[in-house]
């Protein structure tokens, strides 16, 4: 059954004190030189009651994963593994089927990671929302693995504000390959810890940021983790380039708390540019300098991305929420004031390239389901700007995925009055 010796060894060597040592003892890549992808590094019972998704056996785990790119860096990533209540659900032959859950947008600050959030952050509502669904998975007799993602909970800050390097690691928001590896490698960790108690079959489920992450994980599963049977993406984040173009329109003089997403997109784009720079001719890919992408006013708020939730970064017309749409990004290189939209500088051009790569139109080898509420105001089915008109949203993504994955696709659209709560959990 489970690897009792390994579990006991890990529990014994896991720091018993505050969370900092648990999350930060493996922040440098050289500290992971003896570990393989998916190897558990630390393990202890989950005592943060706010983070518990449901009844059963809840474990806090730190495991070895990798950053994005063809030449990835070893990273330690945190998460939660939950096995169903054994009394209600004895271990079935072949083990518990496993769901690897990809959570929605919370921000980039360590304190808002699902396993670290204690219920007093701006991300706490987002971390609480999925518990009913995750609990239903457990009630079905399915195990659940919940990654925090790379550098969310385990991030570091050296004060340089780049988000790069072993002493300045920022969560690479919407960087698909990074999210995929985090969501897949925790499956390996669960199997190594609990062996025959975990099935060789697993599915991927995610919402919002996690819906996009789920699609990237499904696309990246072949050759990394065997046994994937399907992916379900709920309101998956999509087309961030088009979102930014609409929000930064030169005529947009409106303030909006949603401009905090611009900073999160930038965090992922910086890491993506660094990964591509390492993979390619260094002269051909520029590592993004956030100070050259953001306006001076926006860059003044940039350090707060390490400290605050997405909601706190834009709430009450403060920080990024205090900016007008056309004040988010630095003006063009010729100084004409035409700005980011019409005359992007080199860093902004790389930012745009990375944003386009985040759209999850991907080739996937298993059945794909997209669920979307038509009235969703955050991830919109048919978004439109009063200044620029309609732009791509989930409707467009569904069209793209159907073309890319013929015969593998299911879509479920819900209006405000017709949610079918008699359906199964997927």
């Amino acid at each position: 059954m489970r690897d009792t010796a390994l579990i006991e060894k890990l529990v014994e060597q896991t720091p018993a004190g505050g969370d900092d040592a648990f999350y930060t003892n493996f922040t440098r890549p050289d500290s992971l030189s003896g570990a393989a992808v998916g190897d558990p590094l630390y393990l202890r019972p989950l005592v943060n009651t706010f983070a518990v998704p449901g009844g059963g056996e809840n474990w806090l785990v730190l495991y070895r994963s990798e950053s994005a790119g063809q030449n990835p860096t070893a990273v330690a990533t945190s998460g939660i593994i939950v096995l169903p209540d054994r009394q209600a659900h004895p271990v079935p032959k072949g083990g518990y089927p496993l769901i690897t859950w990809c959570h929605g947008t919370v921000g980039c600050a360590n304190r808002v990671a699902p396993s670290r959030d204690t219920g007093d952050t701006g991300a706490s509502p987002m971390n609480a929302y999925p518990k009913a669904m995750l609990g239903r998975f457990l009630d079905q007799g399915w195990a659940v693995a919940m990654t925090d993602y790379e550098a969310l909970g385990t991030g570091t800050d050296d004060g340089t504000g780049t988000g790069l390097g072993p002493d300045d690691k920022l969560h690479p928001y919407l960087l698909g390959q990074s999210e995929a590896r985090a969501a897949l490698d925790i499956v390996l960790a669960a199997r190594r810890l609990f062996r025959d108690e975990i099935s060789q079959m697993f599915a991927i489920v995610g919402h919002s940021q996690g819906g996009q992450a789920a699609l990237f994980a499904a696309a990246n599963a072949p050759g990394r983790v065997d046994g994937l049977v399907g992916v379900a993406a709920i309101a998956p984040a999509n087309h961030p380039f088009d979102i930014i173009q609409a929000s930064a329109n030169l005529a947009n003089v409106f303030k909006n708390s949603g401009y905090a997403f611009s900073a999160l997109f930038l965090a992922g784009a910086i890491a993506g540019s660094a990964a591509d720079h390492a993979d390619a001719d260094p002269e051909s890919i520029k590592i993004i300098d956030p100070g050259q992408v953001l306006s001076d006013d926006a860059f003044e708020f940039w350090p707060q991305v390490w400290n605050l939730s997405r909601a706190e970064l834009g709430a009450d017309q403060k920080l990024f929420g205090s900016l007008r749409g056309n004040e988010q990004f630095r003006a063009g290189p010729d100084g004409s004031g035409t700005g980011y939209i019409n005359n992007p500088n080199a860093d902004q051009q790389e930012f745009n390239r990375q944003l386009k790569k985040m759209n999850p139109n991907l080739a996937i080898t298993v059945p794909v389901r997209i669920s979307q509420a038509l009235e969703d105001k955050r991830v919109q089915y048919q978004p439109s700007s009063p200044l620029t008109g309609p732009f791509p949203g989930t409707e467009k993504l569904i069209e793209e995925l159907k073309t890319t994955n013929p015969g593998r696709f299911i879509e479920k659209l819900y209006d405000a009055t017709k949610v079918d709560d008699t359906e199964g959990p997927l």
Side-chain angles (χ1 to χ4, degrees):
M1 300 297 280
R2 66 181 58 189
D3 191 335
T4 303
L6 176 60
I7 291 172
E8 291 178 350
K9 177 184 176 182
L10 288 170
V11 170
E12 182 178 354
Q13 69 186 32
T14 296
D19 280 344
D20 282 349
F22 180 96
Y23 288 93
T24 61
N25 276 1
F26 289 94
T27 53
R28 286 187 167 273
D30 56 9
S31 66
L32 297 163
S33 58
V37 168
D39 275 357
L41 306 168
Y42 282 156
L43 183 74
R44 71 184 187 202
L46 180 64
V47 296
N48 176 5
T49 55
F50 182 78
V52 171
E57 188 179 348
N58 291 262
W59 293 91
L60 177 65
V61 65
L62 190 74
Y63 60 99
R64 188 222 192 259
S65 189
E66 290 179 324
S67 64
Q70 298 173 21
N71 299 286
T73 300
V75 297
T77 301
S78 53
I80 298 169
I81 298 172
V82 190
L83 276 65
D85 185 306
R86 285 169 173 263
Q87 296 297 317
H89 301 282
V91 180
K93 183 179 180 180
Y96 296 117
L98 179 67
I99 300 290
T100 184
W101 165 251
C102 302
H103 67 78
T105 300
V106 292
C108 294
N110 283 336
R111 68 190 185 96
V112 304
S115 74
R116 296 192 75 163
D117 190 347
T118 54
D120 57 355
T121 76
S124 298
M126 178 60 75
N127 282 325
Y129 291 147
K131 289 183 181 180
M133 181 174 64
L134 298 176
R136 191 169 180 192
F137 292 162
L138 294 166
D139 290 344
Q140 297 286 320
W142 303 341
V144 177
M146 306 163 54
T147 182
D148 286 335
Y149 303 136
E150 179 188 353
L152 188 56
T154 56
T156 54
D157 180 8
D158 67 1
T160 62
T162 64
L164 302 171
D167 297 317
D168 197 56
K169 195 70 173 175
L170 183 64
H171 168 52
Y173 180 76
L174 287 193
L175 183 57
Q177 194 174 57
S178 165
E179 298 168 318
R181 289 172 173 174
L184 294 169
D185 295 344
I186 197 172
V187 174
L188 297 175
R191 289 175 178 174
R192 289 170 192 171
L193 287 165
F194 300 105
R195 291 188 173 177
D196 294 343
E197 296 180 29
I198 298 293
S199 170
Q200 293 302 300
M201 295 189 304
F202 77 103
I204 308 169
V205 184
H207 168 243
S208 187
Q209 174 190 1
Q212 181 254 15
L215 293 169
F216 269 95
N220 281 267
R224 194 173 189 93
V225 183
D226 294 332
L228 179 62
V229 297
V231 56
I234 305 164
N238 63 85
H239 299 98
F241 170 75
D242 300 279
I243 293 172
I244 288 293
Q245 292 291 297
S247 75
N249 184 274
L250 296 176
N252 184 4
V253 297
F254 302 102
K255 299 178 181 181
N256 192 311
S257 63
Y259 298 154
F261 281 95
S262 299
L264 304 188
F265 292 151
L266 180 55
I270 291 171
S273 70
D276 289 350
H277 176 85
D279 291 343
D281 176 358
E283 298 300 320
S284 66
I285 302 292
K286 180 175 180 53
I287 299 178
I288 295 171
D289 177 351
Q292 294 301 311
V293 174
L294 298 173
S295 67
D296 288 341
D297 287 342
F299 187 62
E300 182 180 346
F301 306 141
W302 174 247
Q304 295 305 319
V305 176
W306 272 262
N307 303 318
L308 300 177
S309 68
R310 194 283 306 167
E312 292 165 322
L313 286 169
D316 302 321
Q317 294 194 356
K318 297 178 181 177
L319 299 176
F320 291 94
S322 70
L323 301 172
R324 303 180 191 280
N326 60 10
E327 296 173 337
Q328 299 176 79
F329 298 102
R330 184 166 297 281
D334 61 359
S336 67
T338 55
Y340 159 64
I341 294 295
N342 295 332
N343 195 12
N345 62 37
D347 292 88
Q348 292 169 336
Q349 291 175 40
E350 178 60 18
F351 175 52
N352 288 344
R353 191 179 76 87
Q354 293 294 331
L355 289 176
K356 292 175 183 177
K357 290 176 63 177
M358 294 174 182
N359 184 51
N361 176 23
L362 304 159
I364 296 172
T365 60
V366 296
V368 180
R369 169 171 168 159
I370 304 292
S371 299
Q372 175 73 39
L374 298 178
E375 300 300 318
D376 192 322
K377 302 301 183 186
R378 181 64 69 196
V379 179
Q380 296 184 34
Y381 183 63
Q382 296 173 320
S384 183
S385 164
L387 300 172
T388 61
F391 58 92
T394 308
E395 181 184 42
K396 179 64 175 178
L397 176 63
I398 289 172
E399 294 174 3
E400 293 169 340
L401 286 167
K402 283 182 174 179
T403 300
T404 305
N405 302 280
R408 297 188 182 277
F409 197 82
I410 301 171
E411 62 182 286
K412 299 292 289 187
L413 305 178
Y414 301 97
D415 68 22
T417 61
K418 293 183 179 179
V419 174
D420 183 358
D421 59 7
T422 66
E423 285 189 294
L426 290 182

